Amino acid sequence: MNQNGYKITTRNLSLSYGPKLALKDISVGIRTNYVTALIGPSGCGKSTFLRALNRMNDLIDGVQTSGEVLVDDIDVYRNDVDVVALRKKVGMIFQRSNPFPKSIYDNIAYGPRINGIHEKNKLDQIVERSLKQAALWDEVKDDLKKSGLALSGGQQQRLCIARALAVDPEVILMDEPASALDPLATAKIEELIFELKEKYTIVIVTHNMQQAARVSDYTAFFYIGKLIEFDETKNIFTSPKEKQTEDYVTGRFG
Amino acid sequence: MRKLGRKLLGLSIPLFSGLCAFFIVLIVLIVMGETIIGGWSTLSWEFLSTGPKEGMTEGGIYPAIIGTFLLVVIMSIAGVPIGTITAIYLSEYASQKSILARMIRFAVNTLAGVPAIVFGLFGLGFFIQFVGTGMDKVLSGGAELKWGQPNILWASLTMALLTLPVVIVSVEEAIKAVPRELREASLALGATKWETIRKVVLPNSITGILTGGILAVSRGAGEVAPILFTGAAYFLPHLPSALSDQFMELGYHIYIMTTQSPDVEATRGIQYATTLVLLVLTFALNFSAMFLRYKIRTRTAR
Amino acid sequence: MQALQAPNKSETTLRSITTTSNTTTPLASQGNHDGDSTKLWWKKRFRLGEFLIEKSITAISFLSFAFIALIFVFVFRESLPIFSTSAVKKPAETKQVQQETYGDETPAAELQQQVDERKRSVENLEEGGATAANLAGKIWQPVSSKPKYGMLPLIVGSLKVTAVAVLFSAPMAILAALFTAAFAPKWAKELLKPAIEILAGIPSVVIGFFALIAMATFLQKTFGFQYRLNAFVGGIALSLAVIPIIYTITEDSLSRVPKVITEASLALGASKWQTALFVVLPAASPGIFAGILLGIGRAFGETMIVLMATGNASILSGDLFEPVRTMSATIGAEMGEVVFGDTHYTVLFFIGAVLFLFTFTLNAIAEVFIRQRLMKRFEGQ
């Protein structure tokens, strides 16, 4: 799509909640079809940064943003940008799995339906494809009518991923998607991320450094609202340039 | 000596406050007991299904039950949608700082505090005198007095206004109980605000809307002051068949039977039984609202 | 490359990525690749439905405010003629005569009679001096050849009944709330809270009925006063409607007193009741005060209970055991029988306007107490 290989680029992105500055001058390039991990101690702004990418922060009263977030070369904070279209393109998975209190089928069909797809067989196809992509199809194919809330935590999170995939996004933002899951379910999600990067650009926030090291190609280290270091993951973990990064990844604080 | 005083105080405060609490419970039991004992013997299927007879000294309260029912139905049709929409606006669209939202909040709080009788005056001055008379002028050139007088429509609309804050507060509470995560999930999928409200927020607050409606109905069925001169009638041989008809109503019936009946002593049984019916009706409504609310709260705490 | 360069620190961090990238095409060069449909994915669309829905929702929500404004306007408008000396209205309004006989046509003669009556009442009013003087009079006698609209007995009546109600209900409700918050065992709480909710749900006409039929007789037997229905009975009956209000707000503000304060007191060796009385109760006092104000407002505006239980005689006296007629009950009892637009009608609206203003002011003050004082105290802002 974009010739320079960057799906999302931020330039001097700053963000404040009222008087409190949460992000300071973040400039970063997120590459197409790679997994970029955002790490840092809690409260460092990594989740805020993630939510700035699809303008989810708009929902919070008193948030002010400056600088640019370019998605496919368009500054999405421009006045003439359609937030709805942006969010279709840039999907999001949340920390706490949040299926709608509807059936599995209806959860996944939600996105396509609001996009005007109502033909049964088309929806069936999308549901099946999305569930397969999210590696959930085999577990739930026999009871798609079951409530999404009846699934286990890990399944719920994969349902949410399937739901996000159903609207054909190009980027998937994940906000600590495995933080509430047991190791087995976490492993499944990580496996999934690995497969998904074939087709999607993925940005993942995690507080788990092993996870960042396992799944990501690039890693950004945030500290108190600032981007301290951004590099290929292996460099961040083996030869960080900044002292703070080193302290953090070696577990000296955080 | 001092020690003794303190000890006595230490005993008497819990005891005295406990007595007050006990007394309140006792009052509630007495009011209920008195009504049940007084009304039980008169209460019968016939009492509920027939109209007053013999100059209202005998017979039942069927027209008053129907009148009350129609009153709360028309009231709900007018009030519940407006209340729900206002609650949606306040919780979903308005930013808390906007002047309009503050104005509306102020209005809702004020509405909740206006005495019921003032609503009655407003119903008379606005609905009957202004709107009704205006309608008569437009419809028949003022020749026919149809809308410019008390009727069930004006009474219901007055009551809808009185119960509006009940609906708004209740629905808003339910909407706020819908987890933020669900809204975010919907918006992150590229749904618009209204799509999110319609498909996620409203389906999840339907019990709250129901609760608001029930509480409003319970309140509306119990209030008499607003309908004293906006539509309630002493006695009508026929059930209301049009919006421009007057109607009989349970609470109003209690009032006139106890204060303006030709023979107050002879109709004690009817008075008690009517009160019992009204009490049972409001309790049933309130309990179902309490139950629904309890369900909403436990679900939120999931 | 230049496009990606950040001015300061992140330059180094970005370089490592750009080295792996092949191209350095400047960003956002116009019209280079992709079809129009994908190129303009970001373009803001005007969603008519969304726009209309938002506007309608806003407009409908505004109705609440519009109605409050209308209540102000209409209640005051109808009472306005009082303030002008020529209380006679335009002849066109003679048509706005309430019909007591349903469906029948009002005979012209009757109409004329009503008009005359109204004129006469106005004349009488003027005869008796300025309107204001008449309103401030000591006699309320609206239906007579020489109507007197002295509001004094009604105001005193309302005050007497309200005073009894609040003096009776406030201590009881506050103590009961203190009991729930500080001393009550669990089962007592679970008994008291539903009882209060039930009490709050009892229609006022039912309380009025209970007071009229049962309580008045009981109180008369106990205290032996002369008139069965009087200000005292009305006040006690009213307190049944006021107790839930004061209780709920007091209980709410007591439970909002932070646990740390209570624990600090207990840790200093204070006993449970000392903590409750000297720490928790004072800390919640703005809320309790607000509750009392709302209770006064409710008592002052309540109609059905006083209409049924006070005896409804407009006597100006300080005796609590004599029958009284309150402002609200006067409206309730007389508005059904007045001629639209005449002086009596206007005066009743004027009373309504006074009631409205009074309760409005009380509620506003209570709101300030609840919102500002209480919040400030506990949230330290």
Side-chain angles (χ1 to χ4, degrees):
Chain A
M1 226 179 263
N2 170 318
Q3 292 183 349
N4 60 19
Y6 291 100
K7 192 71 188 171
I8 301 177
T9 314
T10 69
R11 285 196 283 206
N12 299 31
L13 177 68
S14 294
L15 186 147
S16 57
Y17 297 105
K20 201 179 140 251
L21 199 63
L23 290 177
K24 229 188 213 157
D25 259 348
I26 312 284
S27 299
V28 98
I30 289 162
R31 300 204 54 196
T32 313
N33 290 19
Y34 282 95
V35 178
T36 304
L38 312 176
I39 62 169
S42 45
C44 67
K46 54 192 193 298
S47 285
T48 308
F49 176 76
L50 190 79
R51 293 168 63 94
L53 301 182
N54 65 346
R55 291 185 57 175
M56 284 305 272
N57 286 325
D58 289 14
L59 306 178
I60 302 161
D61 263 356
V63 168
Q64 285 197 316
T65 317
S66 67
E68 293 179 341
V69 174
L70 306 171
V71 174
D72 282 346
D73 303 345
I74 298 296
D75 178 13
V76 298
Y77 281 91
R78 258 164 52 181
N79 277 337
D80 58 347
V81 164
D82 196 87
V83 188
V84 170
L86 168 70
R87 294 194 185 131
K88 276 176 189 156
K89 197 182 184 81
V90 183
M92 192 166 203
I93 310 297
F94 297 84
Q95 183 171 3
R96 235 179 82 181
S97 61
N98 52 359
F100 299 125
K102 302 171 186 239
S103 70
I104 294 170
Y105 186 96
D106 287 339
N107 259 285
I108 294 168
Y110 184 87
R113 277 181 182 143
I114 56 175
N115 284 326
I117 301 173
H118 292 289
E119 302 94 296
K120 175 105 176 43
N121 53 351
K122 229 176 191 173
L123 283 176
D124 287 351
Q125 268 173 20
I126 293 174
V127 169
E128 182 174 345
R129 192 202 70 210
S130 308
L131 281 171
K132 276 182 175 156
Q133 275 183 303
L136 192 59
W137 176 250
D138 293 332
E139 291 159 62
V140 301
K141 65 182 173 203
D142 296 323
D143 32 22
L144 293 173
K145 291 270 164 286
K146 200 163 79 173
S147 164
L149 292 170
L151 297 173
S152 73
Q155 288 175 321
Q156 284 192 15
Q157 196 57 292
R158 276 179 284 145
L159 175 66
C160 292
I161 294 175
R163 185 176 64 185
L165 297 177
V167 289
D168 276 326
E170 290 162 28
V171 182
I172 301 172
L173 309 176
M174 297 184 171
D175 190 357
E176 305 196 21
S179 68
L181 303 181
D182 61 68
L184 241 115
T186 304
K188 273 204 164 145
I189 300 276
E190 288 179 8
E191 216 174 287
L192 185 58
I193 292 172
F194 203 76
E195 284 165 21
L196 289 175
K197 77 173 179 184
E198 298 285 314
K199 282 185 72 182
Y200 306 93
T201 304
I202 294 172
V203 186
I204 175 170
V205 166
T206 175
H207 60 244
N208 177 338
M209 276 170 289
Q210 284 76 28
Q211 187 170 60
R214 280 193 302 264
V215 302
S216 69
D217 304 294
Y218 294 94
T219 296
F221 172 60
F222 283 76
Y223 187 60
I224 334 182
K226 281 191 242 170
L227 176 68
I228 305 297
E229 191 167 353
F230 181 32
D231 206 335
E232 283 183 51
T233 301
K234 61 173 193 286
N235 292 340
I236 289 278
F237 284 94
T238 55
S239 52
K241 292 186 185 68
E242 299 292 326
K243 177 86 171 52
Q244 281 163 313
T245 317
E246 190 182 344
D247 287 351
Y248 184 71
V249 296
T250 52
R252 243 167 266 164
F253 78 93
Chain B
M1 195 56 206
R2 226 179 177 188
K3 231 177 171 181
L4 187 73
R6 192 180 291 176
K7 211 170 184 182
L8 275 177
L9 203 61
L11 269 174
S12 63
I13 286 179
L15 194 74
F16 197 61
S17 65
L19 271 178
C20 286
F22 171 74
F23 190 65
I24 292 175
V25 178
L26 192 70
I27 291 176
V28 173
L29 290 177
I30 291 176
V31 174
M32 287 166 51
E34 171 79 18
T35 316
I36 294 171
I37 293 166
W40 191 250
S41 55
T42 316
L43 202 61
S44 66
W45 176 246
E46 203 198 332
F47 181 73
L48 298 175
S49 61
T50 58
K53 276 177 256 174
E54 311 290 330
M56 298 185 67
T57 54
E58 274 169 46
I61 52 167
Y62 180 67
I65 294 176
I66 296 298
T68 306
F69 176 76
L70 291 174
L71 173 80
V72 297
V73 167
I74 302 170
M75 174 200 89
S76 305
I77 292 172
V80 172
I82 294 181
T84 305
I85 288 169
T86 307
I88 291 173
Y89 174 78
L90 286 175
S91 55
E92 300 290 317
Y93 282 97
S95 92
Q96 294 310 311
K97 284 176 201 138
S98 87
I99 293 176
L100 189 64
R102 281 185 183 185
M103 279 165 74
I104 293 169
R105 249 178 227 294
F106 163 82
V108 174
N109 285 340
T110 309
L111 272 182
V114 174
I117 191 78
V118 174
F119 281 102
L121 287 180
F122 174 70
L124 181 64
F126 179 71
F127 289 125
I128 298 175
Q129 288 275 66
F130 184 74
V131 182
T133 310
M135 278 167 73
D136 280 344
K137 273 187 190 140
V138 171
L139 295 176
S140 64
E144 191 194 0
L145 187 65
K146 187 178 179 195
W147 295 103
Q149 58 181 348
N151 65 36
I152 193 164
L153 177 65
W154 304 140
S156 303
L157 292 183
T158 306
M159 204 61 104
L161 206 52
L162 178 129
T163 53
L164 196 59
V166 179
V167 181
I168 294 175
V169 168
S170 175
V171 176
E172 206 188 342
E173 189 193 5
I175 288 181
K176 282 203 173 128
V178 175
R180 212 183 119 91
E181 289 94 354
L182 290 185
R183 283 190 187 81
E184 290 193 336
S186 170
L187 291 168
L189 288 169
T192 62
K193 195 168 206 161
W194 173 243
E195 281 163 350
T196 303
I197 293 169
R198 189 166 55 92
K199 295 194 162 186
V200 176
V201 177
L202 285 184
N204 282 292
S205 34
I206 202 81
T207 22
I209 298 170
L210 201 63
T211 313
I214 292 173
L215 285 175
V217 165
S218 155
R219 178 82 194 277
E223 284 286 354
V224 178
I227 58 166
L228 280 177
F229 29 82
T230 52
Y234 185 92
F235 172 74
L236 290 173
H238 306 291
L239 291 177
S241 58
L243 287 176
S244 57
D245 285 350
Q246 293 205 325
F247 64 105
M248 290 177 72
E249 201 257 4
L250 283 171
Y252 187 67
H253 197 65
I254 296 171
Y255 165 62
I256 51 140
M257 290 298 276
T258 47
T259 57
Q260 323 201 335
S261 166
D263 189 348
V264 177
E265 286 306 321
T267 57
R268 275 288 180 259
I270 297 179
Q271 296 165 22
Y272 268 109
T274 314
T275 309
L276 182 58
V277 171
L278 181 61
L279 207 54
V280 168
L281 182 75
T282 46
F283 279 4
L285 289 165
N286 285 346
F287 276 123
S288 39
M290 264 161 81
F291 174 72
L292 285 175
R293 219 187 237 173
Y294 169 79
K295 262 182 76 180
I296 294 173
R297 288 201 179 134
T298 48
R299 198 189 54 198
T300 322
R302 164 177 77 102
Chain C
M1 164 113 188
Q2 84 210 65
L4 278 177
Q5 268 177 1
N8 39 38
K9 221 177 156 187
S10 31
E11 195 180 332
T12 46
T13 62
L14 274 171
R15 192 170 302 136
S16 64
I17 314 159
T18 32
T19 46
T20 59
S21 162
N22 303 326
T23 56
T24 52
T25 323
L27 296 168
S29 53
Q30 300 275 303
N32 46 358
H33 36 60
D34 294 336
D36 263 6
S37 60
T38 39
K39 201 188 80 199
L40 290 176
W41 63 268
W42 48 271
K43 195 81 186 145
K44 196 172 224 162
R45 256 153 290 170
F46 177 67
R47 295 177 170 82
L48 183 67
E50 200 80 11
F51 174 81
L52 288 180
I53 282 166
E54 177 164 355
K55 292 298 165 220
S56 340
I57 285 178
T58 312
I60 290 172
S61 308
F62 189 69
L63 278 180
S64 298
F65 188 82
F67 273 119
I68 271 295
L70 282 175
I71 290 177
F72 257 109
V73 169
F74 273 87
V75 173
F76 283 87
R77 193 188 81 153
E78 298 292 311
S79 58
L80 213 57
I82 275 193
F83 301 104
S84 62
T85 34
S86 59
V88 195
K89 285 205 169 179
K90 292 166 284 171
E93 297 203 21
T94 48
K95 272 173 200 148
Q96 300 170 357
V97 164
Q98 190 192 22
Q99 291 186 313
E100 280 302 308
T101 45
Y102 315 114
D104 297 342
E105 282 160 50
T106 316
E110 198 182 314
L111 256 178
Q112 191 52 47
Q113 186 198 330
Q114 279 164 338
V115 172
D116 291 345
E117 213 170 86
R118 202 174 58 217
K119 270 190 188 148
R120 200 170 57 232
S121 71
V122 171
E123 277 155 16
N124 283 326
L125 201 64
E126 282 162 351
E127 208 171 83
T131 316
N134 198 335
L135 282 176
K138 291 180 188 159
I139 298 169
W140 176 265
Q141 227 169 51
V143 190
S144 74
S145 56
K146 233 181 180 187
K148 293 196 171 69
Y149 301 106
M151 278 173 61
L152 216 54
L154 311 183
I155 294 173
V156 172
S158 279
L159 290 178
K160 274 201 304 198
V161 174
T162 304
V164 173
V166 174
L167 287 178
F168 185 73
S169 60
M172 186 132 75
I174 293 169
L175 281 171
L178 189 66
F179 178 71
T180 345
F183 310 115
K186 206 164 177 239
W187 61 266
K189 276 185 205 173
E190 274 163 18
L191 191 70
L192 191 57
K193 285 199 173 173
I196 293 284
E197 287 207 28
I198 288 174
L199 190 58
I202 297 179
S204 54
V205 69
V206 173
I207 295 178
F209 173 76
F210 172 75
L212 172 67
I213 304 290
M215 201 166 80
T217 313
F218 173 76
L219 288 176
Q220 192 183 27
K221 272 186 196 149
T222 317
F223 294 99
F225 36 66
Q226 190 187 348
Y227 306 97
R228 205 174 75 90
L229 298 178
N230 55 46
F232 180 73
V233 172
I236 300 291
L238 256 186
S239 68
L240 297 192
V242 177
I243 284 173
I245 294 176
I246 301 185
Y247 174 90
T248 312
I249 294 171
T250 304
E251 210 264 335
D252 191 42
S253 39
L254 285 176
S255 66
R256 271 203 233 175
V257 174
K259 264 225 168 80
V260 277
I261 298 184
T262 333
E263 277 162 5
S265 166
L266 290 172
L268 287 169
S271 66
K272 226 175 167 181
W273 69 266
Q274 283 170 324
T275 309
L277 201 62
F278 301 125
V279 178
V280 180
L281 208 56
S285 57
I288 297 172
F289 186 62
I292 295 176
L293 286 182
L294 289 178
I296 295 175
R298 173 74 203 270
F300 206 76
E302 174 56 50
T303 306
M304 294 318 290
I305 297 175
V306 287
L307 192 53
M308 292 165 87
T310 57
N312 275 326
S314 52
I315 307 165
L316 181 63
S317 104
D319 192 345
L320 286 183
F321 300 103
E322 276 184 20
V324 289
R325 159 169 277 199
T326 69
M327 294 162 69
S328 53
T330 306
I331 304 174
E334 295 173 11
M335 188 52 100
E337 271 120 53
V338 301
V339 181
F340 283 5
D342 89 340
T343 313
H344 190 187
Y345 171 93
T346 309
V347 171
L348 290 180
F349 262 97
F350 178 70
I351 297 174
V354 173
L355 271 183
F356 184 26
L357 273 188
F358 185 74
T359 49
F360 178 80
T361 314
L362 279 180
N363 288 350
I365 299 173
E367 178 89 9
V368 169
F369 268 94
I370 292 178
R371 214 169 261 177
Q372 289 174 355
R373 297 276 177 94
L374 208 62
M375 297 296 177
K376 264 185 200 159
R377 213 174 262 206
F378 297 148
E379 279 152 28
Q381 288 215 324

